[in-house]
Amino acid sequence: MQGDDGPDGEPVVVERRSGPYGEVVLRRRGGRYEIIANGCFLMDTSDGRSERLLVDAALAALPADRPRPSVLIGGLGVGFSLARAAAEPRWGRIAVVEREEVVIGWHHSGPLAAVSGPALADPRTEIVHADLVRHLRTAPRGETFDALCLDIDNGPDWTVTEGNDSLYTPDGLAACRARLTPGGVLAVWSARPSAAFEQALRNAGFLRVRTEEIPVARGVPDAVHLAVGPA
């Protein structure tokens, strides 16, 4: 690992790995790290507001008297959502599903441990190495969560990896509903608000559908789509 940026402030590749879903790259640019999948920027460690909101908004949408709610976080990413969940004592079980083994390694023994180290050591935390879309459909029938916080791509209108788009289809949303306890919350991160996805959530039987927007320095805001399953 090099200690400085490249020439003219160019990012430095920390690790590049090809796997079953394509190429994943960890880069360092100044004091932040970036994850690139199949040549497309996914996320970095510069902010994290929307990734934290993903978890906070889901918890706020649950009844305040629900004891020790469980949460499944779809996508480990740079670790902001996991770290936020572990910092909240109200959460009970915290399961994180991540399909890229190299990303898990960057958190256990690589540069991203600075973000997620305490959360990984939390006894409530469980890391599941699996494809989220497949895991939602094939996990044991009785395995449900009070909240699903999903951030596996750039959102319903801009998927990076083939197959991820099926999460936002009627079948994918039905699989999400099946993994929720009665009245559980689905929160989905997106690189832009999507009115079409809001309607898809309503069509799939979700209630109290709404979108929280997070302003960014340039361009359209990030978004967290929220919906509540039937009681």
Side-chain angles (χ1 to χ4, degrees):
M1 185 186 306
Q2 300 180 37
D4 301 309
D5 288 354
D8 300 320
E10 290 297 314
V12 172
V13 172
V14 177
E15 186 171 359
R16 184 189 306 273
R17 186 78 63 86
S18 294
Y21 306 103
E23 182 185 73
V24 184
V25 178
L26 181 67
R27 301 192 310 199
R28 186 181 61 255
R29 187 193 298 269
R32 70 179 187 267
Y33 288 93
E34 305 171 336
I35 295 179
I36 314 297
N38 294 319
C40 184
F41 174 87
L42 285 184
M43 61 193 68
D44 64 22
T45 57
S46 64
D47 191 345
R49 285 177 300 155
S50 58
E51 291 92 338
R52 296 183 184 100
L53 177 64
L54 181 72
V55 173
D56 290 347
L59 184 61
L62 287 168
D65 60 353
R66 187 173 294 208
R68 306 285 289 171
S70 57
V71 58
L72 183 149
I73 298 173
L76 179 55
V78 295
F80 285 137
S81 294
L82 168 59
R84 189 67 157 197
E88 171 53 65
R90 187 180 160 197
W91 286 115
R93 180 188 180 194
I94 303 170
V96 184
V97 178
E98 172 56 56
R99 72 182 188 179
E100 297 289 355
E101 186 175 9
V102 66
V103 172
I104 297 173
W106 292 335
H107 284 273
H108 278 297
S109 58
L112 299 181
V115 176
S116 60
L120 289 173
D122 192 302
R124 297 171 295 169
T125 299
E126 171 192 1
I127 303 296
V128 180
H129 178 210
D131 176 79
L132 175 71
V133 176
R134 187 176 301 114
H135 182 75
L136 288 172
R137 292 188 170 102
T138 62
R141 185 166 187 164
E143 182 174 304
T144 57
F145 294 84
D146 296 296
L148 303 180
C149 297
L150 309 184
D151 179 8
I152 63 167
D153 220 309
N154 278 332
D157 296 335
W158 183 15
T159 55
V160 174
T161 306
E162 184 178 355
N164 279 357
D165 55 348
S166 66
L167 176 66
Y168 311 109
T169 65
D171 285 347
L173 294 177
C176 291
R177 276 188 54 184
R179 292 293 158 209
L180 284 172
T181 58
V185 175
L186 173 64
V188 179
W189 188 93
S190 178
R192 59 171 67 102
S194 173
F197 184 58
E198 285 188 345
Q199 188 58 51
L201 288 166
R202 295 186 183 96
N203 293 343
F206 285 96
L207 310 171
R208 291 160 51 193
V209 175
R210 62 187 178 89
T211 299
E212 293 202 19
E213 297 184 5
I214 306 91
V216 297
R218 293 186 299 273
V220 297
D222 292 341
V224 173
H225 294 286
L226 292 156
V228 177

